[in-house]
Amino acid sequence: RQAGVMRFEHAGKLRADFPELVAGVVAANGIRPDVTLGLSQRIDAFTATASARLAAGAASEFPEIRAWRRAFAAMGRKPTQYRCAAEALLRRFAKDGALPRIHPLVDLCNALSMAYAVPVAVLDLGRVSGDLSVCYAAGSETYETFGGTVEHPGPGEVSFVDGSGRAHARRWTNRQSGYSAVRAGTTSVLVVAEALHASAERDVADLTATLVAEIGAAWGGTPASAVLTGAAPVFTCRPDRTGSTSADRQVRGESRTA
């Protein structure tokens, strides 16, 4: 493999246990926090979609959320105690009427996550070492909370694990690590949307295409993207982990069958 190429995939055992899993991945360089260009209005539009869905029924009844609840139950997790990130966002939005603005890319992904009711993770690739795999943890991985506390996922817990043994999530789509969270200095990112419901392939493809278009419009360039399934489970890209410039905003990527 060429130097500087990162591989992302879901482990074979995880896919065997959840064959319905579909993931949309987007890799982009040239991210910065000072983007306006109408992005706020676009975020509001996606949030309005979420609001309309919630007006018709509780998030817990959405087919996308029900599929994740079944998955958490299958993993031995109480679905009402450990919720996927999309359900947590929708519940907070339903209660507070708005979400706090954090970073334009995070705000965009949160709005899309709510609109599609699909959990979306956004990772700073400058904080990810080597390849990244969504897999069952061994129990020795290191996870850092947003508060800086160090934890270790339990053996068999699903996590995003990089080449150094660092865990970038707990309980699959339940909680992301503060270590690789997007911050003001982030320039290169990997966005992962995961779904398990009946129309997941169609919906994830639409979400991914929408995200690529929005990132291109706001930050320029052409993000790499793919929709991953059991037939094509691997995505590779060449992230700029040293900090990108305005002339280096295109990430080359591809999906592969193995």
Side-chain angles (χ1 to χ4, degrees), residues 62-128:
F62 294 179
E64 304 91 336
I65 301 301
R66 289 171 65 89
W68 275 109
R69 285 190 167 206
R70 290 193 296 270
F72 274 63
M75 293 186 290
R77 304 287 178 180
K78 188 176 181 181
T80 54
Q81 180 178 1
Y82 298 106
R83 306 176 192 275
C84 78
E87 183 178 4
L89 286 172
L90 285 163
R91 284 170 57 85
R92 183 173 184 178
F93 178 72
K95 178 183 177 182
D96 299 340
L99 294 180
R101 295 295 172 97
I102 301 169
H103 179 287
L105 179 61
V106 175
D107 300 339
L108 171 63
C109 289
N110 282 348
L112 283 169
S113 179
M114 291 196 301
Y116 286 86
V118 169
V120 177
V122 193
L123 291 86
D124 181 342
L125 285 179
R127 310 279 281 181
V128 176

Side-chain angles (χ1 to χ4, degrees), residues 172-199:
W172 201 346
T173 56
N174 171 245
R175 187 154 57 102
Q176 196 174 326
S177 171
Y179 182 83
S180 52
V182 170
R183 60 205 75 205
T186 297
T187 59
S188 186
V189 298
L190 182 74
V191 184
V192 181
E194 297 164 293
L196 299 163
H197 60 286
S199 59

Side-chain angles (χ1 to χ4, degrees), residues 45-67:
F46 295 126
T47 302
T49 298
S51 184
R53 291 197 67 180
L54 287 168
S60 60
E61 297 304 314
F62 294 179
E64 304 91 336
I65 301 301
R66 289 171 65 89

Side-chain angles (χ1 to χ4, degrees), residues 244-257:
S244 54
T245 66
S246 58
D248 181 22
R249 292 187 185 165
Q250 182 165 344
V251 180
R252 290 169 289 176
E254 62 178 352
S255 62
R256 293 189 283 178
T257 56

Side-chain angles (χ1 to χ4, degrees), residues 11-12 17 31 39 41-42 78 90 114 121 134 152 156-157 181 203:
D17 290 342
I31 301 300
L39 185 59
Q41 289 79 6
R42 300 293 299 141
K78 188 176 181 181
L90 285 163
M114 291 196 301
V134 185
H152 300 283
E157 181 181 321
D203 297 339

